[in-house]
Amino acid sequence: MLGAYLPILLLVVVAVLFGLVSIVMSSLIGPKKPSTLKLAPYESGCEPVGTARERFSIKFYLIAMLFILFDIEAVFLYPWAILYKKLGVFGLVEMGTFIVILFVGYIYVWKKGALEWE
C-alpha cells in the first residue's frame, strides 16, 4: 500500500528540495548591490501614492471575488465541451441548466449593483 504513494512522496521531496536549493544558492551567489533606489517601494514602476495603511473600497473585493467565482465556473465548460458527444442530450440539458443558474446569479449580482464601480 505504501509503495503506491512512494512516487508522489518522492516528487514532493524533490520539489521542496529544488525550491530550497534555488533560494539558498541565489542568496549565496547572487549579486548584492543594494541602493536606496533599489530598496524604495514602488507601485507598477511609479512612486507610491498614499500610505500602505490606506483602506480599499469593499467594491474592489466584491469585484475580485465575483471574477474568481465566474472564472472558476467557466472552467467547468471545458470538460463538458470535450465529452459533449458522449453525454448526448442529457449533457446538453445539464449544461443548459448550469448556464441558466450562472445567468440568474449574474443578473442577481447586476441588480444588486455589485458590478458598478463608483
Side-chain angles (χ1 to χ4, degrees):
M1 180 79 173
L2 185 61
Y5 292 106
L6 188 62
I8 296 172
L9 180 64
L10 184 64
L11 179 67
V12 169
V13 168
V14 167
V16 169
L17 283 176
F18 179 77
L20 290 174
V21 168
S22 297
I23 291 172
V24 168
M25 291 304 288
S26 72
S27 67
L28 290 177
I29 63 175
K32 296 174 187 66
K33 294 182 182 177
S35 67
T36 55
L37 184 61
K38 283 184 181 179
L39 297 176
Y42 64 94
E43 294 176 2
S44 302
C46 302
E47 292 292 323
V49 178
T51 66
R53 305 286 182 237
E54 202 169 308
R55 290 186 176 206
F56 289 100
S57 171
I58 191 69
K59 294 283 185 182
F60 173 79
Y61 298 108
L62 286 175
I63 296 290
M65 285 190 295
L66 288 172
F67 173 76
I68 291 170
L69 178 73
F70 285 113
D71 195 40
I72 289 172
E73 289 174 346
V75 169
F76 287 117
L77 294 174
Y78 290 108
W80 172 78
I82 292 172
L83 297 175
Y84 174 70
K85 288 186 180 179
K86 289 182 183 177
L87 295 175
V89 175
F90 174 75
L92 182 64
V93 170
E94 289 297 319
M95 188 49 66
T97 305
F98 178 72
I99 290 175
V100 166
I101 291 171
L102 277 180
F103 189 68
V104 168
Y106 178 73
I107 297 297
Y108 174 78
V109 167
W110 189 4
K111 293 291 183 184
K112 284 290 191 177
L115 298 177
E116 294 175 12
W117 195 270
E118 294 174 5

